[in-house]
Amino acid sequence: MMTPKMEQALNDQINEELFSSYLYLAMAAYYNSLDLPGFSAWMRAQAKEEETHAMKLFDFIQERGGRPVLGAIAEPTREWGSPLAAFEAALAHEQHITSRIDGLVDLARAENDHATEFFLQWFVNEQVEEESTADSVVKRLRMMGESKNGLFMMDHNLGKRTA
Ligand code: OFO
């Protein structure tokens, strides 16, 4: 059994993950509106991945005898100033999620909930990857500056993402 406080915090994280999915779907629509299908496909795949993060939490709460409670998902931003600005927003969002996960680990420790602390290690590792991927795209976009060729190449490469 989890404490009600831990259960509530994990439920709140389901909402964060579903919002992440919604945000990346909004970014997919944004990139598509710029005729950047590769960026759009990458964001769409990312949105799907975020759903799996939400479901991991959903299943874990049930396994521990709790009940997932779904709240309203906030409306994401629709417009970003440039392809770079949208990816910078994605990176900032992942940094926010990392701090949320760290907070959950701290709470699991405070509640002496070893099972939840162990479960959360998957998310801790995942955040290292999520931040690093977004960061490398942001860095390459900054390096490219105004190059249309660079953007075209990058769109092609990002479009290769399958999952
Ligand atoms: Fe992007 O890792 Fe979940 O939110």
Side-chain angles (χ1 to χ4, degrees):
M1 275 295 280
M2 282 183 292
T3 62
K5 204 169 165 185
M6 193 74 247
E7 185 174 335
Q8 178 66 54
L10 292 177
N11 262 313
D12 291 345
Q13 191 59 28
I14 291 180
N15 192 277
E16 289 274 346
E17 300 294 341
L18 290 176
F19 175 76
S20 301
S21 178
Y22 222 35
L23 175 67
Y24 294 135
L25 204 51
M27 288 179 178
Y30 168 72
Y31 282 118
N32 192 59
S33 77
L34 300 181
D35 290 321
L36 291 168
F39 278 86
S40 181
W42 192 95
M43 283 297 173
R44 205 168 161 140
Q46 187 62 26
K48 271 268 162 248
E49 195 173 303
E50 297 298 352
E51 273 176 37
T52 69
H53 296 173
M55 292 314 296
K56 261 186 200 293
L57 291 151
F58 188 100
D59 290 341
F60 181 74
I61 291 170
Q62 292 191 139
E63 268 167 24
R64 300 292 306 284
R67 178 175 175 177
V69 178
L70 304 177
I73 303 169
E75 183 179 319
T77 305
R78 294 175 195 177
E79 293 295 337
W80 291 269
S82 66
L84 170 62
F87 242 101
E88 283 173 335
L91 174 59
H93 182 69
E94 287 305 327
Q95 288 163 341
H96 159 75
I97 293 293
T98 299
S99 74
R100 295 270 324 182
I101 298 293
D102 289 347
L104 287 172
V105 173
D106 290 345
L107 181 62
R109 284 186 184 147
E111 301 283 301
N112 220 10
D113 186 341
H114 296 190
T116 300
E117 186 184 344
F118 186 75
F119 164 76
L120 288 168
Q121 291 312 303
W122 183 90
F123 285 87
V124 170
N125 287 329
E126 176 69 8
Q127 282 314 115
V128 173
E129 191 191 313
E130 298 266 278
E131 278 195 42
S132 153
T133 307
D135 187 50
S136 78
V137 175
V138 164
K139 281 185 178 139
R140 276 181 282 155
L141 281 168
R142 283 187 187 143
M143 239 186 299
M144 275 165 24
E146 296 300 309
S147 162
K148 293 275 180 241
N149 265 351
L151 195 60
F152 180 80
M153 291 289 292
M154 199 151 172
D155 188 61
H156 180 72
N157 285 334
L158 287 177
K160 289 181 189 158
R161 177 178 180 175
T162 49

